[in-house]
Amino acid sequence: MSMSANVDHDRRHHAAPHRDAGGPLWLSAAAGLCASLVGLGLARFAYTPLIPALIAAKWFTPAEAVYLGAANLAGYLAGALIARDLGARIGSVWALRGMMLLAAATCFACAVPISFIWFFGFRFLAGISGGVIMVLAATAILPHVAPSKRGLIGGVIFAGVGLGVAASGTLVPLLLQQGVKQAWYGLGVLSAVLTLISWKAWPAEVPAAHAVTEQPVAAHGVRSPLVIALCVEYGLNALALVPHMVFLVDFVARGLGQGIAAGSYYWVLYGIGAVIGPLLSGHLADRAGFAAALRAAFLIEAVAVALPAVTTSPAALIVSSLIVGGFTPGIVPLVIGRIHELIPHSAASQRSAWAQATTTFALFQAAGAYGLSYLFARSGGDYAVLFVIGAAGVAVALAIELFSVVALGRKRS
């Protein structure tokens, strides 16, 4: 078969599901939203507003509580590394269902503070569930989506992260009125219910035989200099998100002395931004192109991350929380879409590149979380330096993006 025939076959293969999208497509997007809500929004981000309560209840010291947050990010890296193999062995849909169940189970396990090691292990498992879901959710759904709607559908999928953040910021303080254990139980019940609701909504698997025929193309696409540069940029963006993701609530509650309620208020704003962010960024990318939207995102994010180091006025903290919250999941559909622009005709190469990007993100995020946690402890609790380092990370990402365009040429689908 000729190369042109292969490309035509590939295009026909992906065109068929687009005609049948309609209701099933939005059901699939809702399943993806539930998965990101459980595996990332609740299993990961709900921990942030719990940190001051865990310290106040003397479950853990401040340093231990922060390191436990970083344990989740290390698990996320492990999940990203095993996701493709797990999906190939048992199928992406069953892997996603299993990881949602695991995320719910970890919440129940964390209600029992047997020891630091026990808690560390289950925070690590919660991270694994999030890493697998991040790699597999979009790639299980987007091959069924027409290119003109991929930004919006990707935004819907990852809006679940923001819903989880917003839910944790509002629900966790209410649950904490009953106790720390009750907060974990509540998160576990909500995760289990969402898992059951989404159980039958996932789309059919992409035929394995088709993925095998595309593997030679995939390797070439993943090694593209522009794709490699994009992965590095995505990793630096992960570092930029760590200060807000791990330290925001504690910064307001203890660093500024405003208490847990005030910290949770800013975390709710972070969550509101995280709900709206992926929808807006995905819609913008569908209109302006993913490359242009990504560069604008890096620029805006650099300013927003740096704001708390410059001023702690309520207005600045509100803007910073909303914008950084928006880009926490909002950057994801932009990077996935950019991969589709750079590798336009091979679903297998897109999956491979996305797994590589997610692994790079997880590596930078875990290293950044541990590094910044260590720096925080050694500096005696200097929050400002954390935000400065985060802003520098995304500024370097923007510089790499602009340099790669000039040096390697402009490639847009």
Side-chain angles (χ1 to χ4, degrees):
M1 186 180 287
S2 68
M3 180 64 72
S4 61
N6 277 327
V7 172
D8 289 341
H9 169 77
D10 181 74
R11 286 173 174 166
R12 286 195 301 271
H13 175 84
H14 293 293
H18 303 163
R19 292 192 296 269
D20 300 322
L25 169 60
W26 288 104
L27 281 176
S28 298
L33 183 149
C34 287
S36 65
L37 170 51
V38 170
L40 295 145
L42 297 178
R44 181 199 291 188
F45 290 109
Y47 181 77
T48 300
L50 278 165
I51 289 177
L54 293 173
I55 296 170
K58 300 190 184 302
W59 281 25
F60 304 106
T61 67
E64 286 175 337
V66 171
Y67 277 117
L68 287 169
N72 184 272
L73 302 182
Y76 183 83
L77 171 59
L81 289 170
I82 68 171
R84 290 190 72 215
D85 185 60
L86 183 63
R89 287 177 181 274
I90 67 174
S92 294
V93 170
W94 277 107
L96 288 160
R97 289 168 176 161
M99 290 301 104
M100 292 177 74
L101 287 173
L102 176 61
T106 63
C107 291
F108 288 113
C110 287
V112 187
I114 293 175
S115 68
F116 177 83
I117 297 300
W118 167 276
F119 217 89
F120 187 98
F122 280 102
R123 293 308 299 153
F124 185 84
L125 287 174
I128 287 178
S129 70
V132 173
I133 287 170
M134 178 59 80
V135 171
L136 296 183
T139 56
I141 296 169
L142 292 182
H144 301 268
V145 180
S148 62
K149 294 182 179 179
R150 281 179 183 153
L152 180 58
I153 296 299
V156 170
I157 294 170
F158 294 107
V161 179
L163 286 172
V165 175
S168 68
T170 53
L171 183 63
V172 167
L174 293 175
L175 292 172
L176 282 173
Q177 294 177 9
Q178 308 301 317
V180 178
K181 288 185 177 182
Q182 286 73 14
W184 284 112
Y185 287 141
L187 294 173
V189 169
L190 179 56
S191 297
V193 169
L194 290 167
T195 301
L196 293 176
I197 289 174
S198 63
W199 195 265
K200 295 289 188 180
W202 292 100
E205 298 275 1
V206 175
H210 181 68
V212 171
T213 61
E214 287 187 338
Q215 284 303 320
V217 183
H220 175 74
V222 169
R223 293 171 189 148
S224 160
L226 284 172
V227 172
I228 292 172
L230 179 63
C231 290
V232 174
E233 294 161 23
Y234 193 42
L236 288 166
N237 185 84
L239 171 63
L241 296 174
V242 168
H244 281 72
M245 188 183 302
V246 177
F247 296 96
L248 177 62
V249 174
D250 196 51
F251 168 60
V252 174
R254 295 195 309 125
L256 300 181
Q258 296 180 13
I260 294 176
S264 297
Y265 165 76
Y266 286 104
W267 190 246
V268 172
L269 292 175
Y270 184 95
I272 291 172
V275 174
I276 300 171
L279 299 174
L280 290 179
S281 65
H283 181 68
L284 173 64
D286 283 337
R287 297 296 184 91
F290 288 93
L294 185 64
R295 292 161 201 157
F298 284 154
L299 178 61
I300 296 169
E301 187 181 340
V303 175
V305 171
L307 266 180
V310 177
T311 173
T312 57
S313 71
L317 292 177
I318 289 171
V319 169
S320 181
S321 300
L322 285 169
I323 293 178
V324 179
F327 284 122
T328 297
I331 204 72
V332 179
L334 298 184
V335 173
I336 294 178
R338 182 62 175 147
I339 287 172
H340 281 252
E341 285 185 341
L342 295 172
I343 314 171
H345 301 308
S346 171
S349 60
Q350 292 161 1
R351 287 193 295 271
S352 182
W354 174 236
Q356 176 177 283
T358 303
T359 301
T360 306
F361 183 99
L363 180 61
F364 274 73
Q365 189 174 65
Y370 277 105
L372 292 181
S373 297
Y374 175 80
L375 180 62
F376 178 74
R378 296 291 292 179
S379 67
D382 187 348
Y383 294 93
V385 69
L386 307 180
F387 295 110
V388 170
I389 292 173
V394 74
V396 173
L398 177 59
I400 292 173
E401 170 65 19
L402 296 175
F403 174 80
S404 67
V405 171
V406 173
L408 301 174
R410 201 177 289 268
K411 293 185 179 181
R412 298 180 64 175
S413 57

